[in-house]
Amino acid sequence: MLRSPEHCLLSKEGDVTIGGVFSIHSQISSPLLSFTDTPNSLTCSRINFREFRFVQTMIFAIEEINNSSSLLPNVTLGYKVFDSCGSIMASMRVAMALLNGNDTAYGKTCSEMSSIHTVIGASESSSTIIMLRTLGAFQIPVISHFATCACLSDKTKYPTFFRTIPSDYYQSRALAKLVKHFGWTWVGSVRSDNDYGNNGMVAFADAARLEGVCIEYSETISRLDTREKVARVVSVIRRGTARVLVAFLAQGEMDILIEEAVRQNLTGLQWVGSESWITAGHLATQRNTAILTGSLGFTIRKSNISGLKEFFDLENQASDRQCSGSEKLENVGNPYTDVSELRISNNVYKAVYAVAHTIHNMLNCEKTGDDTDVLKYLKVVNFPLKSGERVYFDQNGDPAAMYELVNWQRNRAGEPMFVTVGNYDASLPNKKQFTMNGINITWAAESRESVCSASCLKGFRQATIKGKPVCCFSCIPCAAGEISNATDSAECNKCLLQFWSNEDHSLCVPKVVEFLSFEETMGALLTAISLFGTSLTLIVSVVFFHFRHTPLVKASNSELSFLLLFSLTLCFLCSLTFIGSPSDWSCMLRHTAFGITFSMCMSCVLAKTVAVVVAFKAKLPKNTVLQCSLPIQRTSVFGCILVQVMVCVLWLTLAPPFPYRNTEQSSEKIILECALGSPIGFWAVLGYIGLLALLCFVLAFLARKLPDNFNEAKFITFSMLIFCAVWITFIPAYVSSPGKFTVAVEIFAILASSFGLLFCIFAPKLYILLLKPERNTKMNMMGKTQRKSL
């Protein structure tokens, strides 16, 4: 069928005339321009049955209102319907025809004068914009049932525009939430190269960016494109790595795209569609199911218009075609007769009733009115339909934005069908706008994966790849002490000071508390050595006690020897205070016990050394020297110990050692140690012991060649060499050792110096007492002295 768009297609006289503009034909032919003859008229072809159903729905609504006794009584509505052929050029001519009238009509004659008060249409945003630029100058309201471009909400540009379909501003955001809901962060896009597609895709891209969704490619299609260009677009889609395609297309562009997609067998894609084609029945054919099954998209809520099906039956019987009279509407299978999916048709129905209620309210308030009055009353119209749905317009001329989420599925017979699987209500809070109703939405939506990069697991963070969108990234493991406890984390979070990352860096766990314990190998070994040294010292004490009346023991100053053995026993035992979990008492005890016991030990050694020197250097008789030296020895030992005790008391009083959780030395564990409190106190204690050791060494060194068969000064010199060597090497080892090894170094120094004193001073004596008893005589002890006196 060929028609000229500026000719009135259907019309009916009435007191008030409503204009209608629909894309009844989907193709238009441009005339050949020879510049010598008058150009031929534009001609339209390829009838669109879905659009023709919209026309019949408009006529049905007008007839229903004319038969109503409550709405516009005594006023008859008329109509003039034009065909825009889905063309901008044709839409301009239709707008002029609506204003000026036309004397040629298809089937019926239109009046020469235009009395149009309101226009319903057009079905596309670009066509509607062209009409508004003409009709808006005359303040004639335009109510569209299908023009969704968000740009039309701008009242500064289009003050006379209203619509019964929501703006793409909301649909674009709904589509972005949809792809994000299924984890599709890497999508391709194709759009109509007009106001509808371009504005809609810009809004979708902005919303998708906020949702963390990236667009791999964005292609455009026009229904006037050559087949080669459409084939190139399909090739781009095929080569893309995105497995989800967002198609913001008008019906005309979708028709030519799907035709080429079928030709190239473009399968394996998840289609996400806009409301213009997602419920288009003419696309739901067996030929297209391999490509479009599983498609998802938002559309206007489905409604029921009572009486519409019967009206189509009457129209069918009243046509000029040769019919038998037994035809039934349900047996005719095309989009015109399909009343099961009344979505956009319901928008046409609401638009007609909005005009009727506007005129009704205007006539009830004023006896006469002009187009300006129609516009004023249309802005505030608010009424319910018989279905219970309320019709009104907001300040932008838009209705409430509510959508159904539709999924293309197959019934048991393998035929495609539209199944509602969710809803979107823009009037609700953000988190409640998009809901799924739990229906299984087929493999296409559930198992399709479309990402540029695989998700980063817990314990990793995303790192952007230079030159690529943010959705393309590499996964970098979190550093030590950092975690990411969710997939696709943009950053790793540092654990708190008392925590550390677990092995897979997905959770912060309490840090391991480290101290030298009795249970671990090193602690158990040091404990065993300490107890061994204690036991050995006790054995030596028993041996010495057994031989206490022998010349050797008497010559060794038995009182100082037993006091030295006692102090060595305490030295071995004090090392045990360094093992175990530090506490307030153990921290104070370990350092003071160490300082006092070693001071006692050094005091005894110093007293023994002084006794040896005095015994050989004195000019008084031996008995007199012995009687004078014993009180001096006891006083000196007590005095030396008292000094260390006073230092320890001052340390504990002013700044005592305390348990400390060291988190600075090691980032992955907490070292439980004893803080010195006052370092001066610690080094004062250690320095005092060193001073006593140095005095012992000097005096022993000076007395090493005294003429005695058993020269004890020589052995004290060796013991002091060992003692000083141990503690000199202890200082750098103590400072540089990490964690519990600091304590181990200190224990080792205590044990090593204790064993050095024990073996150097007492081993030679034990050798004579146990293995060479014949040498344990007074004559042998004093042999060299007697020879010297001779």
Side-chain angles (χ1 to χ4, degrees), residues 384-400:
L385 294 174
K386 289 185 293 184
S387 62
E389 184 178 0
R390 182 161 290 277
V391 179
Y392 64 92
F393 303 105
D394 64 14
Q395 68 273 15
N396 296 322
D398 296 330

Side-chain angles (χ1 to χ4, degrees), residues 87-117:
S87 166
I88 295 176
M89 186 183 300
S91 298
M92 174 62 76
R93 295 196 178 197
V94 166
M96 299 302 298
L98 284 168
L99 289 173
N100 301 326
N102 196 289
D103 59 358
T104 305
Y106 175 66
K108 298 181 181 179
T109 302
C110 296
S111 63
E112 294 183 0
M113 292 184 61
S114 175
S115 59
I116 302 297
H117 289 78

Side-chain angles (χ1 to χ4, degrees), residues 141-144 155 159-164 375 378-379 393 397:
V142 175
I143 308 176
S144 178
K155 285 298 156 188
T160 61
F161 176 73
F162 301 84
R163 54 184 159 196
T164 53
L375 182 62
L378 188 58
K379 292 179 181 179
F393 303 105

